[in-house]
């Protein structure tokens, strides 16, 4: 009788965990870490440069506004003195020609608006604390500046800008 040899193999369905990502050498890991640090530094520098540029333009605009306001105040002071230390509304309407989109407001010591002849509704209707404080400071002889936001009731005449209040 012949014997049969029966060999069976047991194949496990559980295969050992093999990583599909090849192992990096120490040199590759070092290069990748340097690249990560360099990329992070570039991103941080871009943010810092962007902020610095924005700050530069904002301060540049504020300085330009301050120079224009002081020059304009000096010219108005000469006109005021020339005409007997009295405001002449008709004369103010003739000599004041705002350059670009701007709001010029002249208030006397009694808090009466001398210019413009017709006050925009967002100045007459709103009791704007920032504007009132700036005018009060200017009437006391102090120069102030900052950000001003005024809104009208119809939303068509909103005004947002830097301001400077200069005493005459």
């Amino acid at each position: 009788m012949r014997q049969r040899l029966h060999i069976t193999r047991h194949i496990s369905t559980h295969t050992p965990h093999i990583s599909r990502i090849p192992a990096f050498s120490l040199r590759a890991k070092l290069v990748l870490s340097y690249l990560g640090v360099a990329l992070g530094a570039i991103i941080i520098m871009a943010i810092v440069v962007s902020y610095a540029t924005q700050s530069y333009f904002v301060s540049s605009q504020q300085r330009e506004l301050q120079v224009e306001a002081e020059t304009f105040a000096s010219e108005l002071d000469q006109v005021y003195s020339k005409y007997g230390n009295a405001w002449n509304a008709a004369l103010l309407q003739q000599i004041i020609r705002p350059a670009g989109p701007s709001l010029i407001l002249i208030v006397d010591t009694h808090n009466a608006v001398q210019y413009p002849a017709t006050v925009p509704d967002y100045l007459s209707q709103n009791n704007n604390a920032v504007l009132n404080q700036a005018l009060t400071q200017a009437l006391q002889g102090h120069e102030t500046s900052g950000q001003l936001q005024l809104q009208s009731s119809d939303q068509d005449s909103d005004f947002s800008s830097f301001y400077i209040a200069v005493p005459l």
Side-chain angles (χ1 to χ4, degrees):
M1 195 173 191
R2 256 178 155 187
Q3 287 191 352
R4 278 191 192 177
L5 181 60
H6 183 65
I7 300 176
T8 59
R9 275 188 167 164
H10 177 67
I11 300 176
S12 172
T13 57
H14 178 56
T15 57
H17 178 66
I18 300 174
S19 175
R20 294 183 182 180
I21 300 174
F24 287 115
S25 68
L26 185 57
R27 180 184 297 178
K29 289 179 183 177
L30 187 60
V31 168
L32 287 176
S33 69
Y34 282 148
L35 286 175
V37 169
L39 181 62
I42 289 171
I43 290 171
I44 290 171
M45 285 298 292
I47 292 169
V48 168
V49 168
S50 173
Y51 178 76
T53 303
Q54 181 182 6
S55 295
Y56 169 76
F57 282 115
V58 166
S59 65
S60 174
Q61 287 177 336
Q62 287 175 331
R63 279 192 305 268
E64 182 180 337
L65 179 64
Q66 183 174 6
V67 167
E68 287 178 18
E70 289 172 353
T71 302
F72 184 69
S74 175
E75 292 170 359
L76 272 180
D77 189 35
Q78 292 173 3
V79 170
Y80 182 74
S81 297
K82 182 179 178 181
Y83 288 94
N85 293 336
W87 292 112
N88 183 339
L91 179 64
L92 289 175
Q93 296 299 323
Q94 291 175 356
I95 63 171
I96 297 176
R97 299 282 183 238
S102 59
L103 171 66
I104 297 174
L105 186 64
I106 300 174
V107 179
D108 65 12
T109 55
H110 302 292
N111 219 16
V113 177
Q114 297 297 320
Y115 181 87
T118 56
V119 179
D121 68 337
Y122 51 83
L123 291 178
S124 60
Q125 293 175 359
N126 290 352
N127 188 10
N128 190 292
V130 173
L131 183 62
N132 289 336
Q133 182 181 4
L135 292 174
T136 301
Q137 293 271 333
L139 289 172
Q140 293 173 356
H142 304 288
E143 186 174 298
T144 60
S145 62
Q147 183 75 25
L148 179 66
Q149 286 189 302
L150 299 172
Q151 295 178 342
S152 68
S153 58
D154 62 359
Q155 300 295 324
D156 290 336
S157 305
D158 291 353
F159 187 85
S160 176
S161 182
F162 299 117
Y163 75 86
I164 185 164
V166 181
L168 296 178

